[in-house]
Amino acid sequence: MATGPFKYLQVFVYKFIYKRARAPRDLVSFFGLSCLQTSIRWSSSRCAVSRCMEKPTASDGAELEETAGLVEDGELPQGAEGGNVEPRTLRKSSSSRKSFRLDYRLEEEVTKSSRDKYGRWTNPWPTWRFPSYSMLFRFLVLEKNHSNVPTSKEVLDSELPVMEPYFVQNPEALDSPAGMRVTWLGHATVLVEMEGVNILTDPIFSQRASPLQFMGPKRYRGPPCTVEQLPRIDAVLISHSHYDHLDAGSVASLNARFGGELRWFVPLGLMDWLAKMGCENVMELDWWEENCVPGHDNVTFVCTPSQHWSKRTALDDNRSLWSSWSVLGPNQRFFFAGDTGYCSSFQEIGRRFGPFDLAAIPIGAYQPRDVMQGQHVDPEEAVQIHQDLQAKWSVAIHWGTFALAYEYYLEPPVRLRESLEQKGLKPECFFTLHHGESRLIAAQDGDVFE
């Protein structure tokens, strides 16, 4: 199966089979992703710790809704590097669907999340457009794929080298940097070290972005490290449910290594999926809600808007929300765009939380434009997001790893540099990294060092 059209074939299955013929639930079982039956809601204290199963008092001002259910028995998930994940001892979960501090959703001028009459999440901006049947047909059948990814490893090693990350080369160099350090691990996965907190975004260490590891989009550049080689991870940010951003094998491997010490930040609708994977410490947030990592109360994680969609099976279109993330510390601020088309909310985020010291912004998977525009920014729009956020520095993500669209595989960074030049911006303010490469942003003057 071709890599680019993979998830759009799922859309066809949904539109033509489910909506019109009411396909049986066995179709979902094909993907091996049945839904978790248990849903628990409760009020969270600061950082939602030590209140995991306590009943809130009246002063908490929150309802307790508890629906009893059972997690279906099944096989252990497979780790990203292969092999079964060791079963973990069951313990009380510290997951929560509640936030603390300010509630920006009460402000009239912010864009709030919304659902349609069927309960599916929607994009509230006029810039959103999902491809029509004719566009999808042309994309899947008629459009020429210009990605031209070489089959030669030697050519790829020359054009897109995969470097051994600093923490693999020298594990002794894991002390917190004086400023902010970012390491690109491929696609939308970055490791950000700031304010004493290690943050991992949309982790995918598997070879394929697919429910099945023998078909679907395959990496043409492998991960620069394994989960076992990572330094301590305090928080994982998940932007949405697509397989190239929420990878079951990587989630299982991270959970097997870090367990309840690792806090997962996810948009609404994904906590149950992560709970079924065994994750014990999950914060599920709506746009503009916020929380933090226990022991790091001074660093706030805010779920912020993005323009995208969600899907993992034939029947769950837009049943979970999508988001970007803003991480706000006393001295440093980081923005993770996830996967997104361009919309006006980036200006809202910049006004409230900018300027950002660093932003991770996608630049790839944008052709053909009429199909991709609503959901994936092109390099020119990525530069606009950089400006909307008032970002001092930005790192390019979502390119050079999977062939998910039809632009030439080396085109995104070329167009990025051209756009920066056209807007009179220094090319180094929005930079690209090799897989596994790191950059250090100095704490005081904002300089970037190799």
Side-chain angles (χ1 to χ4, degrees):
M1 182 182 293
T3 58
F6 180 72
K7 60 186 175 184
Y8 296 102
L9 289 178
Q10 298 182 51
V11 176
F12 271 126
V13 170
Y14 170 73
K15 287 188 174 181
F16 287 104
I17 299 179
Y18 172 67
K19 278 192 172 180
R20 301 188 182 185
R22 296 295 178 185
R25 292 181 63 86
D26 291 346
L27 190 59
V28 182
S29 299
F30 169 77
F31 292 96
L33 292 166
S34 56
C35 296
L36 181 68
Q37 301 297 315
T38 304
S39 175
I40 301 175
R41 288 179 171 84
W42 59 84
S43 172
S44 71
S45 64
R46 182 137 178 110
C47 291
V49 68
S50 302
R51 291 283 305 281
C52 51
M53 299 299 289
E54 297 176 12
K55 184 176 180 180
T57 63
S59 63
D60 291 324
E63 292 184 353
L64 175 68
E65 302 176 14
E66 181 168 336
T67 304
L70 298 176
V71 178
E72 296 177 358
D73 292 332
E75 296 181 355
L76 290 173
Q78 199 174 55
E81 290 82 43
N84 288 332
V85 176
E86 292 293 328
R88 302 190 61 83
T89 302
L90 292 177
R91 70 187 211 182
K92 291 181 179 180
S93 168
S94 56
S95 302
S96 175
R97 287 189 174 91
K98 295 294 182 181
S99 68
F100 68 93
R101 297 184 187 167
L102 301 177
D103 190 348
Y104 292 94
R105 296 172 303 162
L106 299 178
E107 298 183 18
E108 293 183 0
E109 66 271 23
V110 300
T111 302
K112 304 172 179 65
S113 61
S114 60
R115 302 181 195 242
D116 64 17
K117 62 181 179 180
Y118 303 106
R120 301 180 188 273
W121 296 102
T122 62
N123 286 292
W125 304 279
T127 46
W128 167 249
R129 182 181 64 172
F130 195 78
S132 64
Y133 287 115
S134 60
M135 289 180 187
L136 288 173
F137 176 79
R138 188 173 71 251
F139 177 58
L140 293 168
V141 179
L142 303 178
E143 196 79 36
K144 183 179 179 181
N145 188 343
H146 298 281
S147 59
N148 296 328
V149 178
T151 57
S152 168
K153 184 179 183 300
E154 290 73 19
V155 174
L156 284 171
D157 285 344
S158 173
E159 297 288 355
L160 292 174
V162 178
M163 303 172 60
E164 192 173 58
Y166 82 91
F167 50 81
V168 177
Q169 295 179 25
N170 183 14
E172 302 299 323
L174 291 179
D175 294 337
S176 298
M180 178 187 294
R181 181 161 49 202
V182 57
T183 306
W184 186 46
L185 300 178
H187 201 50
T189 307
V190 294
L191 169 64
V192 174
E193 302 162 76
M194 58 173 282
E195 309 279 9
V197 180
N198 292 351
I199 304 163
L200 193 65
T201 67
D202 283 355
I204 179 165
F205 295 87
S206 298
Q207 289 300 314
R208 291 185 186 271
S210 169
L212 307 169
Q213 285 300 297
F214 60 84
M215 63 182 295
K218 185 177 181 180
R219 308 177 77 114
Y220 56 87
R221 292 280 75 190
C225 68
T226 66
V227 169
E228 287 303 316
Q229 292 174 315
L230 289 170
R232 182 197 82 248
I233 302 297
D234 301 299
V236 173
L237 307 181
I238 300 295
S239 63
H240 66 295
S241 69
H242 286 157
Y243 288 96
D244 56 323
H245 294 260
L246 181 59
D247 174 56
S250 300
V251 170
S253 294
L254 285 162
N255 187 54
R257 182 177 172 196
F258 296 106
E261 298 302 313
L262 176 59
R263 172 149 290 188
W264 301 81
F265 290 92
V266 302
L268 292 179
L270 287 178
M271 189 171 84
D272 289 345
W273 186 91
L274 284 160
K276 187 173 182 181
M277 294 293 294
C279 300
E280 304 165 352
N281 188 353
V282 184
M283 289 295 112
E284 184 185 71
L285 303 176
D286 195 0
W287 290 350
W288 306 109
E289 289 184 333
E290 48 188 71
N291 214 288
C292 67
V293 173
H296 299 276
D297 289 16
N298 60 338
V299 179
T300 302
F301 293 75
V302 187
C303 181
T304 40
S306 67
Q307 180 175 285
H308 204 58
W309 57 294
S310 65
K311 184 179 182 66
R312 285 187 78 82
T313 74
L315 308 180
D316 70 343
D317 293 51
N318 297 339
R319 289 299 184 186
S320 61
L321 188 58
W322 44 91
S323 72
S324 59
W325 291 93
S326 299
V327 185
L328 317 175
N331 302 302
Q332 300 159 354
R333 298 194 166 203
F334 167 63
F335 177 80
F336 173 57
D339 208 354
T340 186
Y342 181 78
C343 64
S344 58
S345 271
F346 296 112
Q347 298 175 24
E348 297 176 6
I349 296 167
R351 285 196 298 268
R352 276 157 187 76
F353 304 133
F356 288 89
D357 298 277
L358 176 69
I361 303 174
I363 66 168
Y366 51 81
Q367 293 288 10
R369 205 71 199 110
D370 57 350
V371 175
M372 296 295 180
Q373 185 166 13
Q375 58 195 298
H376 289 160
V377 294
D378 60 21
E380 292 76 20
E381 291 168 326
V383 173
Q384 186 60 55
I385 292 175
H386 168 84
Q387 294 180 304
D388 290 349
L389 297 171
Q390 306 171 47
K392 299 176 184 177
W393 308 97
S394 290
V395 58
I397 61 171
H398 205 265
W399 75 282
T401 310
F402 295 97
L404 299 175
Y406 288 173
E407 74 270 6
Y408 180 54
Y409 82 110
L410 292 178
E411 180 183 281
V414 174
R415 285 183 54 174
L416 174 64
R417 288 190 294 269
E418 292 174 350
S419 179
L420 290 168
E421 183 179 354
Q422 290 171 2
K423 295 203 172 188
L425 299 174
K426 296 179 180 179
E428 61 269 21
C429 75
F430 197 150
F431 54 89
T432 60
L433 294 173
H434 296 312
H435 294 76
E437 186 182 7
S438 300
R439 288 285 175 90
L440 179 63
I441 300 174
Q444 298 300 321
D445 53 14
D447 287 338
V448 174
F449 299 99
E450 299 278 345

